[in-house]
Amino acid sequence: MPDQHEQTPLDRPQGDPFDLSAGDPFGPHNLPYGVFSLPTPDADPAPGAPGPSPGSGPSPAPGSGSSSGAVDGRRVGVRLGDHVLDAGAVAAALGSPYVSLLARPTLNPLLAAGRTAWSDVRRALTAWVTVPAYRETVRPLLHPLSEVTLHLPFDVADYVDFYASEHHARNVGQIFRPDAEDSLTPNWKHLPIGYHGRSGTVVVSGTDIVRPRGQRKAPTDPAPVFGPSVKLDIEAEVGFVVGAPSERGTPVGLGEFREHVFGLCLLNDWSARDVQAWEYVPLGPFLGKSFATSVSAWITPLDALEGARVSPPERTHPLLPYLDDSPEASGEPGGHEPDGYDLRISVAINGQVVSEPPFATMYWTAAQQLAHMTVNGASLRTGDLYGSGTVSGPRPDQRGSLLELTWNGRDPLPLDDGPRTFLADKDEVTLTAWAPGPDGTRVGLGEVRGRVVGGDA
Amino acid sequence: MPDQHEQTPLDRPQGDPFDLSAGDPFGPHNLPYGVFSLPTPDADPAPGAPGPSPGSGPSPAPGSGSSSGAVDGRRVGVRLGDHVLDAGAVAAALGSPYVSLLARPTLNPLLAAGRTAWSDVRRALTAWVTVPAYRETVRPLLHPLSEVTLHLPFDVADYVDFYASEHHARNVGQIFRPDAEDSLTPNWKHLPIGYHGRSGTVVVSGTDIVRPRGQRKAPTDPAPVFGPSVKLDIEAEVGFVVGAPSERGTPVGLGEFREHVFGLCLLNDWSARDVQAWEYVPLGPFLGKSFATSVSAWITPLDALEGARVSPPERTHPLLPYLDDSPEASGEPGGHEPDGYDLRISVAINGQVVSEPPFATMYWTAAQQLAHMTVNGASLRTGDLYGSGTVSGPRPDQRGSLLELTWNGRDPLPLDDGPRTFLADKDEVTLTAWAPGPDGTRVGLGEVRGRVVGGDA
């Protein structure tokens, strides 16, 4: 088990955002998008005091007009080092036409604008934070991260979760079906297995997670019992955010992935294993997952991750044409560019790293997942979010869930503050990640953080 | 098999909407809500010609500002006989404060307003269509149904589908697990099994359904094959529409059902049985269902269905307190009012009735489903939709799916235009229903209609 402690960005001194070291994972080669608000004048927190906690109430109702103007002062921000750029304000100050995409309370208008607009806006932003002529305009619109509140960056349309790590699927199969001939189900190598989750409970990093209650029943129990979950778990995942929609009845091909998907984020698909085990046959996970899914406050555009593209693992089974991403199948000159991403994830509990799952080992790519999700004619909407599934590598210290790390509680993890089988109340889970960027740089992904709050309170 | 042909409402002459017979299932005791638009002046269809077909493109993206004003001339309508009342225009003409809820392009603002507002608005509407003093104001704002286009009446937030008919679950169990000791899974009598579906492909009645393609694999096939589904099926269901949201972390109790749920509609959860059979282990249905779910254009408020409330079937297993709806468990004086609904559904293919599923036989009520869905702390949003699951009664001619009606294709249905195992291209499926209303009247539910379009076109 790796034991180094991650230094969180807020621990670092906040220097001049125009003078970041080349090693800063949130330098001008990254520029992830989020939504932030400044403290209201009434609140006026003391300098250095934590900002207001992220909203945990119900999301604005669809159709209630929440997107037509400012919501609680929310605005699109772009991260630069330990600062947030008020992107809409810069666009307005410079007379940029992108003000209509950036001076908004969610990322959805930008997401909906499509690939050409995404590239154009990113080019403009890069200029604004690197060309000296813009410096005096931009400087007052950069706010220290410690002084802003970060919000859920987009309105989630549908949320789908996949199951794309072979190592994870085999571990789960061995744990739950130890007598099965094959730890994978017969369909696993033929299609990326997925299911729909609850989009209304997708929350932004920093939101407390109330321990869910529910029914559970051990095989030896005569009847189900009810109470707070005793097997609350992490699932370390990567989430993909759909920008450009598609028409119902028209599948999105493998080669169209980058036309539709805007970017990615870290995602923790909190799971109550005891609830899930009792409920999930025959229609899949429901209450074991639907209480909360946490995502980063920052969406990293795919454009920032071109240097992180890698080939997925070798396919052991022939794939149907709509999923076949082998170089010879692409028909593109020079072959299909690889659709895997080399993202190095860390999972920490109370600051102690317990696992380092390597995203590059995922069997199914996000492009294959998108092609599969739409091959039946299902349409995409702006704001659709899909999770990769738990990321687990081949080594024991690369497993992305406590279910696997403790082998369903059999082998407790010896943390500094005591052993863990599953999560205890007050545990804070943090996912961080980086990817190789241009010229030896690192591209940082926004962290996903969440603290477990007792359900009995 | 019942063989009477249903007379669809549009077959009837369009008389004076103020002079409906007491037997009209859409009289002033009903008043369901929908969203409609009038033909644009440019379109100008000849009188009696069908209006434009319902939009089948992608829904407006969340956050794209679609709800902040008129969308394609959409407006809230209330059905009276074979006419639609422009409810917002009446409210405006009469200076009613409800104009802010009714002069909108979706039902969401009305849904979000909550139980007291729902009752107040309904009282006002009842007066407007029954008190002679309003007649001259109201008459020009009533449009014949044949001259309007009906739209998806609300922006769907999350969509959940349940599995609440014991007869359906037992039939499915016997078909797919003929050797099992019990046709029900061990959890079935302890909790209402459900899963999340795709809200982005919920479409309004009248929308064509493109036959989905996908992978299927018979047990004897060496590998999966790809193509249009050869087992496209109906699921006759009732959908419940959530109005008032709830906070994350706070379950909604059995007794709070009517504070949160606004009304109901008919729902056809189209299912590709071959796709579903190959994909659904271990994470449940995905592409076998996600291509389309059709709902009525009309949402019937629960207030119109007070006369249809009935007790659900006797519970054969003790229930945990949060699901226990027995009279003695309620703690309410006089006992808990029953949460079942006596809805008489008809399923027709190309106008020929093939089944009459009785909703009163459902084991789990919509109130229990809501309590279960939120017991883990999952929040509700305005526009959440949940389906009852396929409605099947105890008799063979009361089964709500072709899977059951033909016993997975073994016993084809002898329709007038030839035998059916599953749906053929060009088949039009229509669900209709009524419920007992006050004083011997009937409350009609809006029909759900959909035609299968070949996927090879």
Side-chain angles (χ1 to χ4, degrees), chain A residues 55-65 67-68 104 106 108-109 112 155-158 160-163 177 185-188 190-201 203 207-215 222-226 245-249 251 276 278-292 320 322-323 372-384, chain B residues 55-65 67-68 104 106 108-109 112 155-158 160-163 177 185-188 190-201 203 207-215 222-226 245-249 251 276 278-292 320 322-323 372-384:
Chain A
S56 59
S59 306
S64 62
S67 305
S68 56
R104 304 295 287 260
T106 82
N108 290 59
D155 296 338
V156 183
D158 271 299
V160 164
D161 200 24
F162 285 94
Y163 189 53
R177 299 181 297 275
T185 52
N187 51 10
W188 202 94
H190 295 283
L191 53 83
I193 293 173
Y195 66 101
H196 284 88
R198 191 165 186 84
S199 55
T201 52
V203 298
T207 306
D208 284 346
I209 304 303
V210 179
R211 180 181 294 273
R213 296 158 173 261
Q215 293 193 26
V225 297
F226 182 84
S246 70
E247 294 279 337
R248 197 169 55 80
Q276 186 184 347
W278 169 231
E279 75 178 357
Y280 90 108
V281 174
L283 298 185
F286 184 33
L287 297 185
K289 305 273 196 173
S290 66
F291 54 97
L320 285 163
Y322 79 96
L323 291 173
H372 185 62
M373 186 160 41
T374 59
V375 75
N376 67 346
S379 47
L380 300 174
R381 288 183 297 172
T382 297
D384 281 348
Chain B
S56 59
S59 306
S64 62
S67 305
S68 57
R104 302 296 286 260
T106 81
N108 289 58
D155 295 338
V156 182
D158 272 300
V160 165
D161 200 25
F162 284 94
Y163 190 53
R177 299 181 298 273
T185 51
N187 51 9
W188 202 94
H190 296 283
L191 54 82
I193 293 172
Y195 66 99
H196 285 89
R198 191 165 188 83
S199 54
T201 51
V203 298
T207 306
D208 284 346
I209 304 303
V210 179
R211 180 181 295 273
R213 294 157 174 261
Q215 293 193 26
V225 297
F226 183 84
S246 70
E247 293 280 336
R248 198 169 54 83
Q276 186 183 349
W278 169 232
E279 75 177 358
Y280 91 107
V281 175
L283 299 184
F286 185 33
L287 297 184
K289 305 274 195 171
S290 66
F291 54 96
L320 285 164
Y322 79 96
L323 292 172
H372 185 62
M373 185 161 38
T374 60
V375 76
N376 67 346
S379 47
L380 300 174
R381 288 183 297 173
T382 297
D384 281 348

Side-chain angles (χ1 to χ4, degrees), chain B residues 107-330:
Chain B
L107 293 181
N108 289 58
L110 174 63
L111 297 179
R115 167 59 53 202
T116 302
W118 303 337
S119 298
D120 292 348
V121 170
R122 182 171 164 83
R123 248 191 316 273
L125 282 163
T126 304
W128 298 343
V129 301
T130 57
V131 175
Y134 294 121
R135 197 161 289 192
E136 289 320 299
T137 303
V138 167
R139 189 184 296 277
L141 299 171
L142 280 161
H143 303 279
L145 261 179
S146 57
E147 295 178 8
V148 307
T149 301
L150 298 172
H151 301 276
L152 190 63
F154 62 102
D155 295 338
V156 182
D158 272 300
Y159 166 50
V160 165
D161 200 25
F162 284 94
Y163 190 53
S165 160
E166 180 172 355
H167 306 291
H168 171 69
R170 287 198 182 278
N171 288 336
V172 170
Q174 286 169 32
I175 290 168
F176 288 124
R177 299 181 298 273
D179 301 325
E181 196 175 322
D182 188 344
S183 54
L184 295 181
T185 51
N187 51 9
W188 202 94
K189 286 287 180 96
H190 296 283
L191 54 82
I193 293 172
Y195 66 99
H196 285 89
R198 191 165 188 83
S199 54
T201 51
V202 175
V203 298
V204 70
S205 175
T207 306
D208 284 346
I209 304 303
V210 179
R211 180 181 295 273
R213 294 157 174 261
Q215 293 193 26
R216 60 175 182 273
K217 181 181 172 300
T220 52
D221 289 341
V225 297
F226 183 84
S229 169
V230 297
K231 289 191 172 182
L232 181 58
D233 199 359
I234 301 160
E235 288 199 338
E237 305 195 17
V238 174
F240 291 82
V241 180
V242 171
S246 70
E247 293 280 336
R248 198 169 54 83
T250 305
V252 174
L254 267 182
E256 299 172 280
F257 169 65
R258 281 172 189 76
E259 298 303 310
H260 289 276
V261 172
F262 172 80
L264 55 76
C265 61
L266 288 170
L267 184 152
N268 185 349
D269 190 39
W270 306 90
S271 298
R273 301 296 181 193
D274 42 359
V275 173
Q276 186 183 349
W278 169 232
E279 75 177 358
Y280 91 107
V281 175
L283 299 184
F286 185 33
L287 297 184
K289 305 274 195 171
S290 66
F291 54 96
T293 303
S294 298
V295 294
S296 324
W298 301 104
I299 309 300
T300 306
L302 294 186
D303 280 344
L305 295 166
E306 279 296 303
R309 291 174 69 173
V310 292
S311 293
E314 197 180 345
R315 279 67 176 82
T316 55
H317 290 55
L319 292 174
L320 285 164
Y322 79 96
L323 292 172
D324 188 354
D325 62 356
S326 60
E328 53 275 21
S330 76

Side-chain angles (χ1 to χ4, degrees), chain B residues 382-409:
Chain B
T382 297
D384 281 348
L385 169 69
Y386 62 101
S388 60
T390 307
V391 184
S392 292
R395 298 204 321 254
D397 63 353
Q398 295 177 326
R399 294 170 178 163
S401 68
L402 289 170
L403 175 70
E404 297 163 87
L405 287 165
T406 72
W407 214 252
N408 200 17

Side-chain angles (χ1 to χ4, degrees), chain B residues 344-364:
Chain B
R344 325 282 176 93
I345 303 171
S346 282
V347 182
I349 298 177
N350 302 328
Q352 188 174 4
V353 173
V354 299
S355 172
E356 294 186 322
F359 191 71
T361 63
M362 299 297 272
Y363 191 85
W364 296 104

